[in-house]
Amino acid sequence: TSVNTSSNTDATKSHNAMRKSVASIGAGGKRILHPNLWRKVHVDPLPFAELREVGRLLHPHLLHSVADAVLDVLRKLDRSGRGDNFDTTGSSDKASTNQQTTNSASIDDEILGHGARHASVREYIKVLSRISAAIKFEPGSDYATETQRLICLAETFDIFAMSC
């Protein structure tokens, strides 16, 4: 039995040594895989025009005006650097985009406070999903009632305000 115990101990030691060589200590003392095993890939953020299309494809029964309004809120709060000179009317306006970028910095500092988490595509998709689940728009309709718009506003505020 002493031979079996020593071979088990040796196997455990070699297994632990292997784990130590692969794992390293990350933030907060958590173990993560060795940093050399990861690759860094730069991915540009989706432009607003593509986000608009993604939102419409994910939720085709939502009114376009509702999805565009949510995208406008994201555009005001976004600091990812995405900018494609696209607005909801489909026109191009460089000055409008530059003004929105300036506005997003002042909104973050004055309203949201320092160190606030920035709004992201995750919140945009989440708002569209919640509005879609909460409100059933009439097929073929191009307008929303006052009650529906109020629910949309509440859902948008809830998601984007909580992301801060």
Side-chain angles (χ1 to χ4, degrees), residues 4-152:
N4 287 342
T5 307
S6 71
S7 67
N8 286 341
T9 306
D10 291 339
T12 305
K13 285 181 183 177
S14 67
H15 180 68
N16 287 339
M18 189 167 106
R19 288 182 76 193
K20 286 181 182 177
S21 67
V22 174
S24 65
I25 303 234
K30 295 180 182 178
R31 295 208 175 266
I32 59 172
L33 289 177
H34 196 276
N36 292 337
L37 298 175
W38 295 92
R39 291 185 186 204
K40 294 180 182 178
V41 178
H42 176 74
V43 178
D44 290 328
L46 283 175
F48 288 113
E50 290 181 24
L51 282 178
R52 180 180 187 221
E53 188 159 337
V54 166
R56 288 183 176 182
L57 289 174
L58 286 174
H59 303 284
H61 57 279
L62 271 181
L63 297 180
H64 290 198
S65 61
V66 170
D68 290 347
V70 174
L71 188 62
D72 284 342
V73 172
L74 175 65
R75 181 180 284 129
K76 294 286 185 187
L77 297 174
D78 184 55
R79 293 193 55 187
S80 67
R82 82 181 86 239
D84 58 345
N85 305 335
F86 184 84
D87 65 5
T88 56
T89 61
S91 66
S92 244
D93 186 6
K94 188 86 165 170
S96 165
T97 303
N98 289 338
Q99 182 64 31
Q100 288 167 351
T101 304
T102 306
N103 285 344
S104 69
S106 65
I107 287 172
D108 277 349
D109 293 341
E110 295 172 9
I111 297 173
L112 303 178
H114 301 289
R117 185 171 161 259
H118 304 294
S120 67
V121 175
R122 177 183 182 272
E123 281 84 20
Y124 172 66
I125 300 299
K126 191 173 182 179
V127 169
L128 293 181
S129 295
R130 281 182 52 176
I131 290 172
S132 175
I135 303 172
K136 300 300 180 212
F137 296 101
E138 291 186 32
S141 177
D142 290 337
Y143 67 92
T145 65
E146 189 68 27
T147 303
Q148 290 172 330
R149 290 189 302 186
L150 189 58
I151 293 170
C152 292

